[in-house]
Amino acid sequence: IYPVPSNAGIPVGIHFTPTMRDQMIIGPGACLAFDREGYKFSDFNFYDFMDSVTNTSLWKLVFSNFKTSMRELYKDLNATAFLTEAKKLVPSLEFNQTQRSFAGVMAQVLDSNGKNANDFIFESNTLEGTTLHVRNAPTPACTASLKLAEEIVDKAVKDFSW
Protein backbone atom coordinates (compact mmCIF):
# COMPACT_ATOMS: atom_id res chain seq x y z
CA ILE A 1 0.00 0.00 0.00
CA TYR A 2 1.57 3.25 -1.13
CA PRO A 3 0.21 6.73 -0.43
CA VAL A 4 -0.60 9.07 -3.30
CA PRO A 5 2.55 11.17 -3.86
CA SER A 6 2.32 14.63 -2.36
CA ASN A 7 4.41 16.33 -5.07
CA ALA A 8 6.23 18.05 -2.22
CA GLY A 9 9.58 16.74 -3.39
CA ILE A 10 9.82 14.08 -0.68
CA PRO A 11 9.67 10.56 -2.17
CA VAL A 12 7.60 7.60 -0.98
CA GLY A 13 6.43 8.40 2.58
CA ILE A 14 5.06 5.75 4.92
CA HIS A 15 3.94 2.66 3.04
CA PHE A 16 3.10 -1.01 3.67
CA THR A 17 5.07 -3.82 2.01
CA PRO A 18 4.29 -7.53 2.46
CA THR A 19 7.23 -9.91 2.98
CA MET A 20 7.77 -13.51 1.91
CA ARG A 21 7.42 -14.51 5.60
CA ASP A 22 3.82 -13.31 5.79
CA GLN A 23 4.75 -10.14 7.66
CA MET A 24 4.09 -6.52 6.79
CA ILE A 25 6.81 -3.87 6.80
CA ILE A 26 5.56 -0.36 7.54
CA GLY A 27 7.63 2.47 6.22
CA PRO A 28 10.08 3.81 6.10
CA GLY A 29 9.21 7.44 5.90
CA ALA A 30 11.50 9.76 4.00
CA CYS A 31 14.28 11.22 6.08
CA LEU A 32 17.83 12.29 5.39
CA ALA A 33 20.42 9.70 6.37
CA PHE A 34 23.82 10.82 7.64
CA ASP A 35 25.50 7.63 6.43
CA ARG A 36 25.12 6.06 2.98
CA GLU A 37 25.18 2.65 4.64
CA GLY A 38 23.23 3.77 7.73
CA TYR A 39 20.24 1.66 8.62
CA LYS A 40 19.61 3.32 11.99
CA PHE A 41 18.83 6.99 12.57
CA SER A 42 21.91 7.24 14.80
CA ASP A 43 24.35 5.94 12.12
CA PHE A 44 26.77 8.69 11.20
CA ASN A 45 29.59 9.06 8.69
CA PHE A 46 31.40 12.41 8.71
CA TYR A 47 32.16 12.35 4.96
CA ASP A 48 28.54 11.54 4.03
CA PHE A 49 27.25 14.16 6.48
CA MET A 50 29.49 16.86 4.98
CA ASP A 51 28.56 15.77 1.47
CA SER A 52 24.89 16.28 2.36
CA VAL A 53 25.08 19.55 4.29
CA THR A 54 27.23 21.21 1.63
CA ASN A 55 24.91 20.18 -1.21
CA THR A 56 23.04 23.31 -2.32
CA SER A 57 20.45 21.23 -4.18
CA LEU A 58 19.53 19.49 -0.92
CA TRP A 59 19.02 22.83 0.86
CA LYS A 60 16.81 24.03 -1.99
CA LEU A 61 14.70 20.85 -1.64
CA VAL A 62 14.44 21.19 2.14
CA PHE A 63 13.54 24.89 2.16
CA SER A 64 11.08 24.64 -0.72
CA ASN A 65 9.37 21.79 1.19
CA PHE A 66 10.19 22.89 4.73
CA LYS A 67 6.96 21.83 6.43
CA THR A 68 7.00 18.39 4.77
CA SER A 69 10.71 17.95 5.55
CA MET A 70 10.18 18.69 9.25
CA ARG A 71 7.08 16.47 9.41
CA GLU A 72 9.05 13.54 7.92
CA LEU A 73 11.89 14.06 10.41
CA TYR A 74 9.39 14.21 13.30
CA LYS A 75 7.71 10.95 12.18
CA ASP A 76 11.09 9.22 12.05
CA LEU A 77 11.88 10.30 15.60
CA ASN A 78 8.44 9.79 17.14
CA ALA A 79 6.87 6.29 17.01
CA THR A 80 3.40 7.63 17.88
CA ALA A 81 3.50 10.16 15.03
CA PHE A 82 4.72 7.43 12.68
CA LEU A 83 1.85 5.13 13.70
CA THR A 84 -0.69 7.95 13.36
CA GLU A 85 0.47 8.50 9.77
CA ALA A 86 0.41 4.74 9.04
CA LYS A 87 -3.16 4.50 10.40
CA LYS A 88 -4.29 6.87 7.64
CA LEU A 89 -3.70 3.95 5.26
CA VAL A 90 -4.68 1.09 7.62
CA PRO A 91 -7.02 2.47 10.32
CA SER A 92 -7.20 -0.81 12.27
CA LEU A 93 -3.45 -0.84 12.94
CA GLU A 94 -2.55 -0.81 16.65
CA PHE A 95 0.75 0.04 18.33
CA ASN A 96 1.08 -3.45 19.86
CA GLN A 97 1.08 -4.89 16.33
CA THR A 98 4.29 -3.05 15.49
CA GLN A 99 7.96 -3.20 16.40
CA ARG A 100 10.96 -1.10 15.45
CA SER A 101 13.09 -2.58 12.75
CA PHE A 102 15.56 -1.39 10.13
CA ALA A 103 15.51 1.76 8.05
CA GLY A 104 15.72 1.73 4.29
CA VAL A 105 18.32 3.77 2.46
CA MET A 106 17.40 5.14 -0.94
CA ALA A 107 19.60 7.43 -2.98
CA GLN A 108 17.82 10.38 -4.55
CA VAL A 109 19.30 12.44 -7.36
CA LEU A 110 18.50 16.13 -7.21
CA ASP A 111 18.92 18.63 -10.02
CA SER A 112 20.55 22.02 -9.45
CA ASN A 113 17.16 23.53 -8.52
CA GLY A 114 16.58 21.03 -5.71
CA LYS A 115 13.99 19.02 -7.67
CA ASN A 116 13.99 15.22 -7.68
CA ALA A 117 15.08 13.43 -10.80
CA ASN A 118 11.84 11.50 -11.28
CA ASP A 119 13.17 8.78 -13.52
CA PHE A 120 16.02 6.32 -13.80
CA ILE A 121 19.34 7.60 -15.06
CA PHE A 122 21.23 5.21 -17.32
CA GLU A 123 24.97 5.65 -17.80
CA SER A 124 26.22 3.48 -20.63
CA ASN A 125 29.75 2.40 -21.42
CA THR A 126 31.23 3.37 -18.07
CA LEU A 127 34.50 1.92 -16.72
CA GLU A 128 35.95 1.56 -20.23
CA GLY A 129 32.74 0.09 -21.60
CA THR A 130 32.43 -2.69 -19.04
CA THR A 131 29.54 -1.38 -16.97
CA LEU A 132 25.99 -0.09 -17.34
CA HIS A 133 24.98 2.03 -14.35
CA VAL A 134 21.32 2.42 -13.39
CA ARG A 135 20.95 5.26 -10.91
CA ASN A 136 18.13 6.98 -9.08
CA ALA A 137 15.37 4.56 -8.19
CA PRO A 138 12.46 7.03 -7.85
CA THR A 139 10.67 4.56 -5.59
CA PRO A 140 11.76 1.18 -4.24
CA ALA A 141 8.80 -0.46 -5.97
CA CYS A 142 10.29 0.48 -9.33
CA THR A 143 13.33 -1.70 -8.73
CA ALA A 144 11.06 -4.75 -9.01
CA SER A 145 9.49 -3.61 -12.27
CA LEU A 146 9.56 -6.06 -15.18
CA LYS A 147 9.43 -3.12 -17.58
CA LEU A 148 12.60 -1.71 -16.01
CA ALA A 149 14.26 -5.13 -16.36
CA GLU A 150 13.38 -5.16 -20.08
CA GLU A 151 14.90 -1.70 -20.53
CA ILE A 152 18.10 -2.70 -18.72
CA VAL A 153 18.43 -5.84 -20.83
CA ASP A 154 17.85 -3.86 -24.04
CA LYS A 155 20.54 -1.34 -23.07
CA ALA A 156 22.95 -4.10 -22.03
CA VAL A 157 22.43 -5.96 -25.32
CA LYS A 158 23.29 -2.75 -27.18
CA ASP A 159 26.21 -1.72 -24.90
CA PHE A 160 27.86 -5.12 -24.68
CA SER A 161 26.98 -6.43 -28.16
CA TRP A 162 25.24 -9.52 -26.77
Side-chain angles (χ1 to χ4, degrees):
I1 303 172
Y2 280 82
V4 175
S6 68
N7 292 326
I10 307 294
V12 184
I14 292 175
H15 57 281
F16 291 75
T17 306
T19 70
M20 298 296 286
R21 294 190 173 124
D22 204 29
Q23 296 175 314
M24 187 68 66
I25 296 173
I26 307 171
C31 192
L32 182 63
F34 295 117
D35 184 350
R36 282 185 175 94
E37 298 296 326
Y39 293 94
K40 294 184 294 196
F41 187 81
S42 60
D43 287 345
F44 183 84
N45 175 290
F46 183 76
Y47 173 79
D48 294 339
F49 172 76
M50 290 306 295
D51 194 38
S52 293
V53 298
T54 59
N55 184 321
T56 57
S57 294
L58 174 63
W59 288 109
K60 289 176 184 177
L61 172 73
V62 169
F63 286 122
S64 65
N65 300 284
F66 190 75
K67 186 176 178 181
T68 301
S69 298
M70 293 302 106
R71 187 172 51 244
E72 290 297 320
L73 177 61
Y74 179 68
K75 286 186 295 190
D76 274 8
L77 295 172
N78 184 305
T80 301
F82 186 90
L83 181 66
T84 300
E85 188 72 14
K87 287 179 77 140
K88 290 178 182 176
L89 296 174
V90 179
S92 63
L93 183 65
E94 296 297 331
F95 192 78
N96 65 352
Q97 296 173 300
T98 67
Q99 66 183 37
R100 277 199 187 271
S101 186
F102 64 93
V105 176
M106 181 181 91
Q108 178 63 55
V109 175
L110 301 174
D111 68 18
S112 60
N113 296 317
K115 302 288 183 198
N116 291 323
N118 289 322
D119 206 350
F120 292 93
I121 299 169
F122 296 94
E123 293 178 349
S124 296
N125 297 311
T126 59
L127 298 174
E128 299 176 7
T130 62
T131 309
L132 167 64
H133 288 232
V134 183
R135 300 188 308 124
N136 193 54
T139 167
C142 286
T143 60
S145 166
L146 295 177
K147 185 65 178 163
L148 174 61
E150 289 175 8
E151 191 166 348
I152 292 170
V153 168
D154 289 347
K155 289 184 182 304
V157 165
K158 180 181 172 199
D159 284 2
F160 306 126
S161 302
W162 291 349

